[in-house]
Amino acid sequence: MARRTLPILKNLTHRSTPGPFLPKPDPNTRSVTYMPRPGDGAPRPVTLIPGDGIGPLVTNAVEQVMEAMHAPVYFERYDVHGDLKRVPSEVIESIRKNKVCLKGGLKTPVGGGVSSLNVQLRKELDLYASLVNCFNLPGLPTRHENVDIVVIRENTEGEYSGLEHEVVPGVVESLKVITKFCSERIAKYAFEYAYLNNRKKVTAVHKANIMKLADGLFLESCREIATKYPSIKYNEIIVDNCCMQLVSKPEQFDVMVTPNLYGNLVANTAAGIAGGTGVMPGGNVGADHAVFEQGASAGNVGNEKLWEQKKANPVALLLSSAMMLRHLQFPSFADRLETAVKRVISEGKYRTKDLGGVSTTQEVVDAVIANLD
């Protein structure tokens, strides 16, 4: 059974009225108000999967911040671990009911016959689009500046189809499946994202010079969709050249759309360039459901030492939860959370080891809470 946690929701709708002793609001801070529909402020249930390794540590960080800011969400918690053979049916049903899930990393065993629960979730819920936003954070020094890349990755087929078998002893065949339907669907999502977020360019990443039929079909689908968005520039790049360009001139990229495996590699590379996997948000979305988690998969479970010392970086999941709040149409809460996190990073006083500091997870969380407006 799920254990529900309901944050304190008092003062949720309270607004101070400017008086003689209160400064008048700056007219430049909010030019157009968000006009919700009646009932949009009702608290929303969110399925919570703490996961393995540092997962419980960073998901607890999100719970604390959500409670401190009186965000209109509450969590239904399920303990799921990567060594299970399947995602429990009650977890799937909870996500289907709530439409939204926040999760920590689930450890995937290397080799053997145990399939990835992360892949199972994506296929079961048809979360066909993975989105990772890799950008420079003010105050966090990196080798490159002006990096703001969104990697949109097809999530349900390609090399992750799971179609492998041993033909004869010592010979294994693994099938890469690319379909026109899924390729067009992910391309359309990438262009829609670019259009709605005022992005200027979409780059398709491929290896069609070698995999002429599979990646050729992916490119053909991207080109067809591109013709429907004439205001957005479209170009293509071979995946090996893409990796070289990423580490030399990452600022040239805007939105990138990729098949499954390439997207995993490109997103983790871009995250490393922009500041590290511990600060990059992301999520997986389909037509009906969304699962938000740390954007880059590298390091999302962490290691035993990080867990023991309680020094995991919660920034990536905090920013992912801001994406979740915006997805739930709570934009002001998302803005408050993002602003607080960026302020803590910019000040530089509280940072975990991966960002050059010595702070614990809790110290970063306390700093974020203290900076909530």
Side-chain angles (χ1 to χ4, degrees), residues 76-123:
E76 296 180 0
R77 177 194 295 266
Y78 291 88
D79 291 322
V80 180
H81 301 284
D83 56 0
L84 297 176
K85 290 185 177 180
R86 292 203 60 80
V87 180
S89 58
E90 61 266 26
V91 178
I92 298 293
E93 289 307 310
S94 174
I95 301 174
R96 290 193 193 281
K97 172 176 66 74
N98 298 332
K99 308 295 185 184
V100 177
C101 172
L102 183 72
K103 67 180 282 290
L106 290 173
K107 188 174 183 179
T108 301
V110 178
V114 180
S115 62
S116 167
L117 296 192
N118 298 299
V119 174
Q120 283 185 31
L121 267 177
R122 295 166 197 163
K123 290 186 175 181

Side-chain angles (χ1 to χ4, degrees), residues 330-352:
F330 299 133
S332 62
F333 288 93
D335 292 343
R336 287 174 61 200
L337 177 51
E338 284 182 353
T339 300
V341 170
K342 290 177 180 179
R343 192 175 294 160
V344 170
I345 295 294
S346 180
E347 290 173 353
K349 185 177 179 181
Y350 297 101
R351 292 181 181 176
T352 49

Side-chain angles (χ1 to χ4, degrees), residues 207-372:
K207 191 66 177 173
N209 57 324
I210 301 300
M211 285 170 272
K212 299 182 183 297
L213 292 179
D215 284 21
L217 177 58
F218 176 79
L219 276 188
E220 177 186 310
S221 302
C222 289
R223 290 167 183 167
E224 288 180 9
I225 298 298
T227 61
K228 301 177 182 179
Y229 296 84
S231 64
I232 298 172
K233 183 180 178 181
Y234 170 72
N235 65 349
E236 301 165 357
I237 189 168
I238 296 173
V239 65
D240 38 353
N241 183 34
C242 173
C243 293
M244 187 274 290
Q245 295 288 338
L246 265 177
V247 298
S248 58
K249 293 189 294 183
E251 63 278 357
Q252 68 182 289
F253 295 106
D254 191 355
V255 176
M256 308 175 77
V257 59
T258 78
N260 209 333
L261 178 61
Y262 308 155
N264 193 15
L265 304 177
V266 168
N268 280 276
T269 303
I273 290 165
T277 59
V279 295
M280 299 302 149
N284 303 280
V285 66
D288 300 311
H289 311 94
V291 174
F292 295 88
E293 57 187 325
Q294 178 176 310
S297 59
N300 65 350
V301 175
N303 56 52
E304 190 173 338
K305 189 175 181 180
L306 270 180
W307 165 248
E308 290 174 350
Q309 296 178 347
K310 303 292 189 286
K311 290 188 174 181
N313 191 344
V315 169
L317 201 64
L318 286 171
L319 292 176
S320 296
S321 64
M323 289 175 59
M324 179 189 76
L325 288 170
R326 197 163 281 116
H327 176 80
L328 290 170
Q329 297 185 12
F330 299 133
S332 62
F333 288 93
D335 292 343
R336 287 174 61 200
L337 177 51
E338 284 182 353
T339 300
V341 170
K342 290 177 180 179
R343 192 175 294 160
V344 170
I345 295 294
S346 180
E347 290 173 353
K349 185 177 179 181
Y350 297 101
R351 292 181 181 176
T352 49
K353 185 178 180 181
D354 59 313
L355 301 183
V358 294
S359 300
T360 63
T361 306
Q362 190 60 50
E363 287 172 339
V364 175
V365 172
D366 292 342
V368 170
I369 292 172
N371 277 278
L372 288 170

Side-chain angles (χ1 to χ4, degrees), residues 155-232:
N155 234 357
T156 60
E157 56 178 19
E159 294 86 352
Y160 287 59
S161 300
L163 301 175
E164 295 183 313
H165 66 279
E166 189 173 42
V167 182
V168 294
V171 179
V172 173
E173 187 174 58
S174 180
L175 301 181
K176 172 178 177 174
V177 177
I178 297 288
T179 64
K180 188 173 182 62
F181 172 79
C182 289
S183 297
E184 287 185 344
R185 184 169 66 167
I186 195 65
K188 184 176 181 181
Y189 183 83
F191 277 93
E192 281 186 350
Y193 177 90
Y195 174 70
L196 293 173
N197 287 276
N198 196 29
R199 296 279 182 157
K200 307 303 181 187
K201 182 171 67 172
V202 173
T203 302
V205 182
H206 67 94
K207 191 66 177 173
N209 57 324
I210 301 300
M211 285 170 272
K212 299 182 183 297
L213 292 179
D215 284 21
L217 177 58
F218 176 79
L219 276 188
E220 177 186 310
S221 302
C222 289
R223 290 167 183 167
E224 288 180 9
I225 298 298
T227 61
K228 301 177 182 179
Y229 296 84
S231 64
I232 298 172

